[in-house]
Amino acid sequence: MREIVLDTETTGFDPRGGDRMVEIGCIELENLTPTGRTFHTLINPGRIIGPEVVRVHGITNEKVKDAPRFADIADDLHAFIADAPVVAHNAGFDRNFVNFELEAAGRPIIADDRWIDTLQLAQKRFPGMANSLDALCKRFKVSLVERTLHGALIDARLLSSVYLELKGGRERALDLSSPEIARARTEVGQSAHGDRPRPLAARSTPAERARHAAFLKTTLADTSLWARLASDLAD
């Protein structure tokens, strides 16, 4: 199943109050595993990024002055997401910004029922506990080494690992009942040489077996296991 993990960085909290996206990052998953395909870009918000927000994500006005406007990347974003479900942490926040910008650019919005909120998944699994992305990374032992500031693509990568754990962990990713595994097991079970005979034919010659039996009689009692086995093979 194809899914898209998405994260955004913005100038604030409310697109209808004038805040805009400054970065978007997406990672493609296939059966909960990253495929290596990503979509990532800075976005010129057309407004000043306040210093209090810069301290969170490190994206300055200088960094985005030559970046594209959202309308310039809307078609590429739509093509990357296509009809896949979209996974986001506190999905309502990202959904509000993405759909506001898509609507403003005259593009179709992403329907609410296509969004998967990992915050809600975490709250059901860990009620009453801290369920921020940082907290979940620490709980699931997902490394935060590369994350010094918030960043859309970095956070999407972290979230893809957290999402795998929330959906059942690495054991789920290695599900032996998946169609791919079932097909592989069928192919392995098929042999061009047919079934092996039971019991297998002896590889030694009658003369070799007779010499072995004679040797055993000189070293072991006739009632020993080896003696009985040699007698059976000689017959």
Side-chain angles (χ1 to χ4, degrees):
M1 178 181 178
R2 182 175 185 268
E3 297 171 297
I4 301 298
V5 179
L6 177 149
D7 188 69
T8 63
E9 300 299 336
T10 69
T11 64
F13 298 101
D14 183 9
R16 302 198 179 277
D19 290 313
R20 295 291 181 269
M21 276 195 286
V22 296
E23 185 184 24
I24 187 167
C26 303
I27 290 180
E28 180 184 64
L29 303 182
E30 190 69 45
N31 296 326
L32 301 179
T33 303
T35 65
R37 292 188 67 228
T38 64
F39 178 90
H40 173 242
T41 184
L42 292 174
I43 300 169
N44 186 329
R47 56 158 293 171
I48 296 297
I49 306 172
E52 71 284 355
V53 182
V54 173
R55 284 193 290 271
V56 174
H57 51 52
I59 300 173
T60 64
N61 294 289
E62 181 67 20
K63 286 183 178 179
V64 299
K65 70 176 184 178
D66 297 321
R69 297 294 183 97
F70 184 88
D72 298 325
I73 61 98
D75 288 336
D76 290 339
L77 176 63
H78 244 302
F80 185 83
I81 295 175
D83 59 354
V86 179
V87 181
H89 198 68
N90 190 17
F93 178 88
D94 298 289
R95 182 180 65 233
N96 287 343
F97 275 93
V98 171
N99 281 343
F100 179 89
E101 296 281 16
L102 287 172
E103 191 173 34
R107 306 306 196 276
I109 65 171
I110 302 172
D112 289 359
D113 60 4
R114 288 177 54 193
W115 291 81
I116 298 171
D117 189 350
T118 52
L119 177 58
Q120 291 183 359
L121 294 178
Q123 288 171 337
K124 288 180 181 178
R125 183 166 174 181
F126 306 109
M129 298 178 67
N131 287 304
S132 67
L133 181 57
D134 277 4
L136 290 170
C137 285
K138 292 172 183 175
R139 192 170 302 149
F140 290 130
K141 296 180 172 56
V142 174
S143 174
L144 290 166
V145 170
E146 65 175 337
R147 190 193 198 219
T148 54
L149 293 169
H150 287 265
L153 193 59
I154 290 173
D155 283 2
R157 286 197 179 105
L158 294 173
L159 184 56
S160 67
S161 297
V162 166
Y163 182 53
L164 169 61
E165 297 295 343
L166 288 171
K167 295 293 284 185
R170 292 169 180 80
E171 293 82 2
R172 171 71 179 270
L174 296 174
D175 185 2
L176 297 181
S177 65
S178 68
E180 294 81 1
I181 296 297
R183 184 169 59 252
R185 291 173 67 181
T186 299
E187 292 172 355
V188 169
Q190 295 172 345
S191 172
H193 302 289
D195 294 336
R196 296 178 67 185
R198 295 290 188 274
L200 297 176
R203 300 294 298 272
S204 59
T205 66
E208 289 171 335
R209 294 195 293 274
R211 287 197 300 271
H212 182 64
F215 169 75
L216 290 176
K217 286 183 179 181
T218 65
T219 57
L220 299 171
D222 289 344
T223 58
S224 69
L225 175 63
W226 286 110
R228 292 198 305 274
L229 180 60
S231 176
D232 291 342
L233 289 174
D235 293 340

